[in-house]
Amino acid sequence: MIYFSKPTISKKEFSNINKVLKSGVLTNGYYQKKTELLIGNKIKSKFIALTQSCTDALELASSLINLKPGDEVIMPSYTFTSTANAVVLNGAKPVFADVNPFDLNININHIESLISKKTKAIFVVHYGGNCMDLTQLLKIKKKYNLFLIEDTAHSFLSKYNNQYAGTIGDIGTFSFHETKNIVGGQGGAISINNERLIKRANYLLDKGTDRIDFLKDHKKQFISEKNNKLKKKYYSWVDVGSEYRASELTSALIYSQFIRRDEIHKKRKKIWQSYLHFLLKLNNKNIEIFKNHEKSKSVYHLFAFKAKNEKLASVIRHYLQSKGIPATFHYVPLHSSPFGKKFKHGNMKITNSIWKRIIRLPLYPELKK
């Protein structure tokens, strides 16, 4: 069996990891700051912080918008558990929405009917390496005074109409898990575009302390009193928080991969297009290929298509697996899962009819033709 996904590691990654180990600085070091700056400048985000995972970034986002018991958050059911857990861990409740049949992104036309007085935010998931069109959703956000959070685990550096995914709503989250295009072990990042949330983000990132204010003034850590004695300044507990920040080893790995992003992207695109051309040549009405919007610039994270029915999808997957190709489906919809059944949802007709018909194919830079 070949790999389904596999990180591409070059000499650059080994070199930068070794530099970190030799430096003895394993947290809050050069690579963390350098990578945050590079990403922020590239995607034009107001604030970037590397985190230990996208899951951490989602949980941080939920805390930043002050989710609490009684609040509701609309999100697609067709997503990974981290999207919903970030809400549930704060005592709020997910409300599941249906997806589009052509790109598996949240169906914006279904959202407004799910909004109630308890709705605090909308979480969208940019599926498969594409950035969805948020134009209409931004109007809904403004109309109902809601927060918009972009779960961009699949789609770091994708664009819609020349805007980067994760920089359009209030907050964006990214994944650098080993299965993603750019890897950092289990790394992630948060992008904050609502300036009112940035100061508090630093407190939450530093385990609820105002350490960032202390470090900004590190050259003046000692202040003179009237009796000319020196008194050391200190930082203290000012908010909730946790150990969200990425380690220096993770940061160095993300940095190395980010520098190689064009090379990685080019290889993934070539493989993705090979799949596409092969399936188009078949011209078979029993399979349908998902479509990218013309204004969306993909990063080719996944290649997926759907079969006409569940039986055919199962036959195709089992046949490919028998030939050493790990073809698979994707998410079990959260609204139909044992824990997710307790939460509200809208009409899930498309999600229910489509998830068992999806077939995903291996995709990673070292995959041979």
Side-chain angles (χ1 to χ4, degrees):
M1 187 77 74
I2 65 172
Y3 291 100
F4 182 77
S5 68
K6 183 183 178 183
T8 173
I9 305 297
S10 71
K11 291 180 181 179
K12 178 66 71 176
E13 282 82 353
F14 283 101
S15 173
N16 288 333
I17 290 293
N18 283 331
K19 286 178 182 177
V20 172
L21 294 174
K22 288 178 181 178
S23 75
V25 179
L26 301 182
T27 60
N28 303 309
Y30 168 83
Y31 285 108
Q32 182 200 84
K33 296 177 180 64
K34 181 71 172 177
T35 309
E36 289 173 349
L37 183 63
L38 284 174
I39 292 174
N41 289 339
K42 175 65 177 176
I43 68 174
K44 296 178 175 59
S45 171
K46 292 183 173 68
F47 176 91
I48 289 286
L50 295 184
T51 57
Q52 296 184 51
S53 65
C54 187
T55 299
D56 270 357
L58 285 164
E59 291 174 14
L60 177 58
S62 294
S63 295
L64 274 173
I65 63 173
N66 282 315
L67 285 184
K68 57 185 183 300
D71 290 338
E72 293 181 350
V73 175
I74 298 169
M75 66 178 65
S77 172
Y78 196 68
T79 183
F80 192 56
T81 55
S82 294
T83 316
N85 274 331
V87 170
V88 175
L89 284 168
N90 280 269
K93 295 181 178 181
V95 177
F96 298 121
D98 210 354
V99 293
N100 298 314
F102 52 86
D103 64 2
L104 300 181
N105 285 312
I106 194 168
N107 191 322
I108 294 174
N109 295 325
H110 291 183
I111 288 177
E112 206 158 3
S113 65
L114 298 174
I115 295 174
S116 71
K117 291 181 179 179
K118 296 179 180 180
T119 306
K120 184 82 172 277
I122 301 169
F123 280 37
V124 299
V125 178
H126 296 294
Y127 185 82
N130 303 304
C131 179
M132 66 177 289
D133 180 8
L134 294 176
T135 306
Q136 187 179 342
L137 198 49
L138 287 171
K139 294 177 182 178
I140 294 173
K141 160 188 158 56
K142 185 176 181 180
K143 179 179 177 181
Y144 295 96
N145 192 29
L146 304 173
F147 287 104
L148 176 59
I149 312 299
E150 299 174 74
D151 182 341
T152 319
H154 289 188
S155 303
F156 177 61
L157 297 179
S158 68
K159 288 181 179 180
Y160 185 86
N161 204 18
N162 289 322
Q163 279 188 288
Y164 282 98
T167 68
I168 303 166
D170 294 287
I171 300 173
T173 64
F174 307 119
S175 176
F176 304 118
H177 187 270
E178 69 168 6
T179 58
K180 300 303 189 292
N181 294 18
I182 290 176
V183 305
Q186 290 184 324
I190 187 166
S191 166
I192 301 177
N193 315 303
N194 184 333
E195 291 183 347
R196 292 184 290 115
L197 302 175
I198 292 174
K199 184 176 181 179
R200 186 166 180 247
N202 278 310
Y203 297 160
L204 270 62
L205 280 159
D206 283 323
K207 298 171 280 292
T209 72
D210 57 359
R211 178 174 172 271
I212 189 73
D213 300 329
F214 171 70
L215 292 178
K216 280 179 182 177
D217 202 28
H218 70 280
K219 291 183 179 179
K220 299 177 181 178
Q221 287 180 13
F222 294 91
I223 56 174
S224 258
E225 293 184 332
K226 290 180 180 178
N227 57 4
N228 292 323
K229 289 184 178 180
L230 296 178
K231 182 179 180 182
K232 192 175 186 297
K233 289 177 67 178
Y234 55 87
Y235 60 89
S236 59
W237 187 16
V238 296
D239 206 331
V240 297
S242 190
E243 184 64 277
Y244 292 118
R245 290 193 188 275
S247 72
E248 188 66 357
L249 288 167
T250 295
S251 301
L253 189 50
I254 297 169
Y255 171 83
S256 308
Q257 294 263 299
F258 186 74
I259 295 300
R260 297 175 56 216
R261 62 189 181 276
D262 291 339
E263 169 202 340
I264 293 169
H265 176 83
K266 185 177 179 180
K267 290 179 179 179
R268 297 186 73 95
K269 181 179 180 179
K270 186 176 180 179
I271 296 163
W272 192 96
Q273 289 181 332
S274 293
Y275 283 141
L276 177 65
H277 294 153
F278 176 81
L279 292 178
L280 287 175
K281 282 183 181 179
L282 292 181
N283 193 27
N284 193 312
K285 294 181 180 179
N286 290 313
I287 60 172
E288 184 180 338
I289 302 165
F290 294 110
K291 299 175 183 177
N292 297 340
H293 196 284
E294 60 181 8
K295 291 185 179 180
S296 176
K297 184 177 180 182
S298 180
V299 290
Y300 306 100
H301 175 57
L302 298 178
F303 188 91
F305 63 98
K306 60 183 174 181
K308 186 176 181 179
N309 55 58
E310 292 177 16
K311 183 178 179 181
L312 178 60
S314 180
V315 168
I316 293 173
R317 285 193 295 263
H318 282 95
Y319 175 78
L320 290 172
Q321 289 165 12
S322 75
K323 301 297 182 181
I325 301 167
T328 182
F329 62 98
H330 209 172
Y331 307 120
V332 175
L334 296 181
H335 76 277
S336 63
S337 60
F339 191 70
K341 287 180 180 178
K342 67 175 71 176
F343 302 112
K344 295 194 301 185
H345 60 77
N347 184 334
M348 309 302 291
K349 182 179 178 181
I350 297 170
T351 304
N352 289 336
S353 70
I354 209 170
W355 72 274
K356 289 184 180 179
R357 294 157 50 202
I358 290 170
I359 300 159
R360 292 189 299 148
L361 299 178
L363 180 54
Y364 51 94
E366 294 172 15
L367 184 63
K368 295 178 182 178
K369 188 173 182 180

